[in-house]
Amino acid sequence: MEAVSPGDYLFFVHGGGKVSVAEVSHTFRNEPLARSIWGETETANGKLQTWELMFSLLKPHDLDLPTATLNELIGRKLNAALRG
């Protein structure tokens, strides 16, 4: 999360190769909200955790951009899974 800041643009890859992009407007930490949305997961050491680091987005847009083209633009193999 340290790498995400307001003003950054994030790409989102949906099932079927659809790509969207949106600008980050805020970053924040909210554990109660995270627990209500995603619940919690038990770690290997038995600790319960949730995904409390969040961001809000401005004006998401769908792009006419195949994932293979996005991979090519960012220097990855054409069929690479996009994460992170």
Side-chain angles (χ1 to χ4, degrees):
M1 257 322 258
E2 292 96 21
V4 178
S5 299
D8 288 348
Y9 285 87
L10 300 180
F11 288 93
F12 299 90
V13 178
H14 312 276
K18 181 178 165 186
V19 177
S20 298
V21 64
E23 182 181 355
V24 175
S25 62
H26 295 86
T27 60
F28 57 99
R29 179 183 297 245
N30 189 322
E31 185 177 338
L33 178 60
R35 288 189 192 288
S36 72
I37 295 171
W38 297 292
E40 40 191 29
T41 301
E42 188 173 346
T43 64
N45 65 1
K47 181 181 176 186
L48 293 177
Q49 70 176 18
T50 190
W51 295 269
E52 64 193 64
L53 301 175
M54 301 185 195
F55 49 84
S56 58
L57 303 171
L58 298 171
K59 301 178 186 175
H61 296 282
D62 293 336
L63 301 177
D64 186 15
L65 179 69
T67 54
T69 303
L70 179 57
N71 276 333
E72 183 178 14
L73 291 170
I74 62 175
R76 301 195 53 185
K77 292 182 181 179
L78 297 182
N79 63 348
L82 290 165
R83 295 188 176 93

